[in-house]
Each structure stands twice: as C-alpha cells, then as structure tokens.
Amino acid sequence: MGINPYPYKYDRTHQISEVLSSFDTLAAQNTVVRVCGRIMLIRKMGKVFFADLRDAGAKVQIYVKRDDVGEALFEVFDLLDLGDIIGCEGTVFITRTGERTIKVTSFQLLTKALHPLPDKHAGLTDVETRYRRRYIDLIANPEVREAFVQRTRIIQTIRDFLNSTGFLEVETPILQPLYGGASARPFKTHHNTLDIPMFMRIADELYLKRLIVGGYDKVWELCKDFRNEGMDRLHNPEFTMIEMYWAYADYRDIAALLEQLLRHVVFTLHGKHTIEFGEHSIDFGPPFRWVSMLDSVREKTGVDFSNLSFEDARAQARKLGVESAELINWGKVVAAVWEAKVEHSLIQPTFVCDFPVEISPLAKKHRDNPRLTERFELFIATQEMGNAFSELNDPVDQLQRFLQQGKAMAAGDEEAQPLDDDFITALSYGMPPTAGLGFGIDRLIMLLTNQPSIRDVIFFPQMKETKDGTVPVSQILAQLAEEEQDASKK
RNA sequence: GGGGGUGUAGCUCAGUGGUAGAGCACCUGCCUUUUAAGCAGGGAGUCGAAGGUUCAAUCCCUUCCACCCUCACCA
C-alpha cells in the first residue's frame, strides 16, 4: 500500500493531557488538534472505530468514521493493531455516553508494532518478564510507570533542598584505583593502558572528604555505587546513595538536617506527613526518636553492655542466643545483639546512635566515651535508611583504624577496608570538624512509593542471564524480512 | 549456599498417563456515538531444558535452568 511503517516525525499540536485539560475551549472553538500516541484499545462498530490513544501523559478516545476519513484511510485503520503508534488530526467532541473524544479527520501510522501487547485487561504480571523487559511493563502497567516518575520527583526534591541549603553538588570517580568508605566487596576491573587493577566504587566517602580538606564547606553527590554481593529484595549490585559532608558540624547537626529533609520530601510528595508502607503507617511529623545503641539493647534485653569486657559481653550475648565466630571484639558483639534484639522493632523513624568504635573505622570517637563513636543510623520500617558520623579527622587515629582493618582483612574479612595512604595524607593537611551522611536512595524510594522490592524502583535490575531472554539475530532478521514481505503484499 | 513455590499460545490462566484448552490479542464476516463493545467463524503451542520409567509422559522419577518467597551476609 506504500505506507512507510517508520516515518520520521509528526507535528503534534497538543499532548493528550493538554487536550483533556483545555477540552471545553477546544470544543467551543472547534480547534483542530494533532496528537500522537500508542493505540491501547480498538472497538470497531461497522463503519466506525473507537480507539484509546495514549501518550506519555494521558489517554484519550479517538473516533474514526469512514465518512470522515474516506474509504482508503478507513481501510488503513482497519489494518492497525493494538500497540501501533499513530498521529491523528481532528476536532474534539463528547459522545452520547459522555466521553471526551477526538473526531479524527486524518491520521498517519508512525510506528508499526510487530509484537502484540500484553492482555489489555490482565496486563503483564509475570515479574521476570516485567524486570527483564521493563519496556513492556511500562507500556502495560501505568502504576509502574508512575512509581518511576515518583522516583525522579523524590530525587529532584532532595536535590532542590540540598542546593537551597548551600550544599554543592559534585562528582567524584566511579572508577577507582583503591576502593573504600564502606564495608563491602568491590567489583574489580583492569585498566589496559596503565596496566593496573581498578575498582568500581563502593562509596564516595573518601573522595568527598578530600574535597572538605580542599576547602568546600558543604558538598554532596548522587552516588552510583557497586557492591559485589548477594542480590535479593533489598539489594541490587548497582545502587544509588546520596552522600553529603558538612564542615564545622557534628553528627547531631546532620541528623537534624536529615530529619528536616525527609519531612520535607514526604510532605512535598504526599501533601501530608504520614505514609503507608506495607502494613505500617509511618509518621514523619513528630521529632524522630533518638536512642543510643547500648540503651536500646538494655531496654530490650535488660543487659547493660557498656562496661563489660569483651569476654563478659560475649558470654552475655551467648545467654541471649547471639553467637558467631565473627564476634571477635566487644563492638561486634554489641552490634550483633542489637541487630538480633532491637533492629526488627524499629518502625517509626528512629536515630540509633553511638556505635562501637570497632565497627566504625571512619567515625570520630565519642567525646564522652572512647569505646564508642559519634555515629548514627536512621531506621524506618526496620530498614536502615541512613548512616552518619562526626567524621574522623585525626590522621593518626585514622591510620590506626586502617591498620586494624588491615588485620581483619588478613584474617579473612573480605569486607574490611584497605588502607588509603593518600586519604591519610589529605587528613594530615587538616580536615575541619565535619559531619557526614550517606543514605540509600533506592530504599528511600521503596519506602515512599510503598514498593516491596528494590527491583520495583530500579528500571533495569540485575538479572541472571538466560537463554530464554536472548533472541538470535538470525531469527530477528528472518522475522523482519517476513514482515517486510507481508507489508509489500498489502 | 539452605528450605519452600512457580514455569502450558504473544498476555492472563485452566487441565489430563492415551496426539492440548479458555478469555484477551491476531485473521475473516456483520454492525455509523462504542467503551474490558457485541455476534459468528478461523489460525496459532519443542506444555522451561535434558535424560529416565512406560506400549504411551505436558503429567510420574532424576538432573539442570530461570524467576518468586524465606533463612544466612549486606545498603
């Protein structure tokens, strides 16, 4: 029929949402509109078609009557399938049943769809297909597309907030000769020209603190991080954090800022301070609870670990049913008991503070207790949403912490942090007292959009490779040739 | 890695030891304001993969693959 199934462009005058929002005016003035979109439904009634056309923002019904478009175009429309993308021109009116509709006078095929859409009513529910071929998921499931719009809005709101409070958004290396800033196994790669091993970053911390040394007061980064660890509902190998560093402030200051930020984001997104997450209702309105790790352990277990020796602490932990070969110091024992007895009970936003020094190699020692650090983690709905400390800025102390980590690594701890000489050098030039914070963006978005899996807030989550998901090129070409032949016949 | 579950048409799902079914989608016909339009007809499947048992396996057995849940590690 000489129809190009893949033309170059279509001059549209309105997005569908614009047609709907100014419908009365368009109708009164008999304005000709040109819209485009994907055909989601077709209803044929003899010499008349009704179809639902959807673009990025909205859906509208179109009305194609043979007497309006002519015999030839009408037959073309008869060849269209669900999923095809068209542009059409016409005026608007309201049908007998009250639906706002575009009365089409002409239309053009813009893109032919070779694969059929998922069931128009049941949609696409198979999670494997949804994750592997997100484009189908996005076509078939409007609520999925909306969740990702929310993701962008959340990040934008955070960005606006931080920019408005004087934080400078910066970028630091993703590809690093040495990884650090968190306890995790890295992805390792290789630079050919330099012939050196390189690592994908697991955190931004050490680079951002170098910038504080360099004289920036407030910096932050939207961080893509990579951790070579297990994958499940809460973990994707590639994920997003925000890290921020604030000179001349301590962990209490940055906790207050984080609280203010989250309250602002929740309110901006939902217009209120409470959100629903699974079976929980989370209230961001009241001041967040602030409790020390040792106090919360004592509340739950009746045991005060604060003045116990390592041996006594381990014995107490054993009585509580907490036992592991990895509990090699007092700090690890306390953290393990806390995780076993306290963590699961933290539903409303709660700052848990003052972590043991052994598990906090980059945090400054607590001003009142050398066994602890000035560190907090924020928990919401039992999940860690953020981790922050008064940053360790004493290069001698930092070196000792690194050496301790080195011992752990030598003992087989694959997540211990390697010594970063240049970072020590940077600290020795003087880093002002600084508060630092990192929080997981994917988890925050899960929380704020009420999604149960991290895969529901990452467009293309990591999946195992499978033969089923791969179509041989030869098969694709054969199919294309076949379609071409079919088209030329028509 | 351990335990539990799932895998049948493009999509959503039934089903049986004897050559495979529905709805939607697709094709044909009827219907000029319908709306999950309707009515009539049609084509469509390596029943996840490979072995085994059996006269006969989509179904029973074994192994493998992918996905989901869960436990352990992690954000």
Side-chain angles (χ1 to χ4, degrees):
Chain A
M1 295 183 73
I3 296 172
N4 179 2
Y6 303 106
Y8 293 87
K9 67 170 291 182
Y10 189 82
D11 288 317
R12 67 173 166 182
T13 59
H14 295 72
Q15 294 186 337
I16 289 172
S17 60
E18 295 169 334
V19 170
L20 295 177
S21 63
S22 53
F23 192 88
D24 293 345
T25 312
L26 295 172
Q29 300 177 344
N30 217 29
T31 309
V32 173
V33 299
R34 290 166 65 87
V35 299
C36 20
R38 191 185 291 275
I39 299 174
M40 302 306 290
L41 283 175
I42 296 178
R43 297 174 288 279
K44 187 180 179 184
M45 280 271 313
K47 301 295 177 283
V48 164
F49 287 100
F50 290 91
D52 287 357
L53 196 67
R54 198 177 73 195
D55 67 10
K59 190 169 71 177
V60 72
Q61 174 169 267
I62 62 173
Y63 174 67
V64 181
K65 186 163 71 162
R66 192 181 61 173
D67 295 348
D68 290 340
V69 300
E71 180 98 29
L73 262 187
F74 189 79
E75 279 175 23
V76 171
F77 201 92
D78 205 14
L79 294 173
L80 297 180
D81 296 318
L82 300 190
D84 288 350
I85 296 168
I86 64 168
C88 60
E89 178 179 302
T91 53
V92 306
F93 75 107
I94 293 183
T95 64
R96 250 182 241 155
T97 51
E99 177 143 358
R100 291 175 293 181
T101 303
I102 296 175
K103 183 177 187 148
V104 174
T105 50
S106 73
F107 71 91
Q108 185 185 1
L109 174 64
L110 298 180
T111 301
K112 182 67 189 173
L114 301 183
H115 281 293
L117 292 182
D119 187 283
K120 66 186 183 187
H121 185 241
L124 177 69
T125 61
D126 180 76
V127 288
E128 186 170 356
T129 308
R130 288 186 45 225
Y131 296 152
R132 287 190 193 279
R133 307 199 195 162
R134 181 69 84 182
Y135 40 90
I136 311 177
D137 191 24
L138 292 167
I139 292 169
N141 298 314
E143 70 283 3
V144 171
R145 113 181 245 109
E146 180 55 26
F148 283 100
V149 172
Q150 296 282 308
R151 178 183 174 112
T152 299
R153 286 207 187 106
I154 290 165
I155 291 172
Q156 190 61 47
T157 304
I158 294 171
R159 175 173 273 126
D160 291 346
F161 179 93
L162 291 175
N163 288 344
S164 74
T165 48
F167 279 83
L168 184 70
E169 183 171 8
V170 297
E171 292 176 280
T172 63
I174 294 172
L175 200 56
Q176 306 179 346
L178 192 64
Y179 63 96
S183 299
R185 284 155 61 196
F187 283 93
K188 192 174 178 180
T189 183
H190 184 262
H191 190 289
N192 287 346
T193 303
L194 297 177
D195 194 24
I196 54 168
M198 297 203 78
F199 302 93
M200 309 290 283
R201 73 177 169 205
I202 59 172
D204 294 35
E205 173 142 358
L206 302 185
Y207 280 100
L208 290 174
K209 284 199 264 197
R210 283 172 171 94
L211 295 182
I212 297 290
V213 171
Y216 296 105
D217 279 357
K218 294 175 167 182
V219 294
W220 73 283
E221 181 167 13
L222 185 70
C223 325
K224 288 286 182 194
D225 293 331
F226 308 84
R227 297 189 184 175
N228 208 339
E229 289 162 350
M231 298 149 54
D232 59 29
R233 196 171 64 80
L234 297 171
H235 299 84
N236 194 62
E238 173 180 346
F239 67 105
T240 306
M241 280 206 301
I242 281 179
E243 287 194 26
M244 46 193 293
Y245 292 83
W246 181 7
Y248 310 111
D250 67 11
Y251 73 144
R252 289 271 183 172
D253 295 318
I254 210 161
L257 185 71
L258 175 60
E259 182 170 342
Q260 196 187 343
L261 167 61
L262 291 181
R263 195 170 286 130
H264 172 70
V265 170
V266 167
F267 194 81
T268 302
L269 208 66
H270 294 286
K272 55 182 182 168
H273 285 127
T274 52
I275 62 163
E276 302 303 317
F277 183 69
E279 61 196 19
H280 301 301
S281 182
I282 314 282
D283 192 352
F284 288 80
F288 296 180
R289 188 173 166 231
W290 181 273
V291 63
S292 82
M293 182 176 271
L294 286 168
D295 285 347
S296 64
V297 166
R298 193 174 53 220
E299 279 174 24
K300 285 283 175 189
T301 67
V303 180
D304 186 352
F305 282 85
S306 55
N307 292 314
L308 297 183
S309 67
F310 165 49
E311 287 74 18
D312 291 345
R314 197 169 51 178
Q316 287 291 337
R318 195 175 296 127
K319 276 189 200 168
L320 294 167
V322 178
E323 200 169 0
S324 161
E326 290 169 13
L327 305 183
I328 52 172
N329 54 48
W330 177 81
K332 292 218 173 198
V333 171
V334 170
V337 171
W338 180 86
E339 277 170 26
K341 301 296 178 187
V342 181
E343 184 176 14
H344 64 272
S345 67
L346 302 176
I347 306 301
Q348 298 304 320
T350 304
F351 291 113
V352 177
C353 68
D354 301 346
F355 285 48
V357 66
E358 296 95 327
I359 59 167
S360 312
L362 299 166
K364 207 167 188 168
K365 278 178 188 155
H366 197 284
R367 62 195 78 181
D368 300 326
N369 184 344
R371 272 186 137 176
L372 303 176
T373 54
E374 298 202 353
R375 171 181 177 185
F376 70 79
E377 288 187 351
L378 174 64
F379 281 82
I380 303 174
T382 76
Q383 287 182 27
E384 183 199 331
M385 302 302 299
N387 180 22
F389 11 100
S390 299
E391 300 293 340
L392 176 53
N393 62 343
D394 174 347
V396 176
D397 191 355
Q398 183 65 77
L399 179 60
Q400 283 166 353
R401 306 279 192 96
F402 272 134
L403 294 176
Q404 201 174 35
Q405 289 286 306
K407 283 181 197 162
M409 188 178 278
D413 183 352
E414 289 185 89
E415 293 176 349
Q417 305 190 29
L419 169 62
D420 187 331
D421 258 323
D422 181 72
F423 179 65
I424 299 290
T425 303
L427 289 189
S428 67
Y429 277 87
M431 181 174 84
T434 297
L437 164 67
F439 57 101
I441 287 300
D442 308 293
R443 298 252 179 107
L444 178 65
I445 291 165
M446 284 171 62
L447 181 75
L448 297 185
T449 59
N450 197 13
Q451 300 291 333
S453 169
I454 196 167
R455 290 178 171 154
D456 295 319
V457 299
I458 292 176
F459 271 132
F460 302 103
Q462 197 62 47
M463 302 288 277
K464 280 194 202 173
E465 295 212 13
T466 171
K467 287 171 189 168
D468 293 348
T470 325
V471 181
V473 172
S474 57
Q475 192 180 325
I476 297 172
L477 293 177
Q479 188 179 354
L480 285 176
E482 195 179 314
E483 296 285 343
E484 242 169 64
Q485 272 191 341
D486 288 354
S488 65
K489 274 180 205 160
K490 288 168 186 172

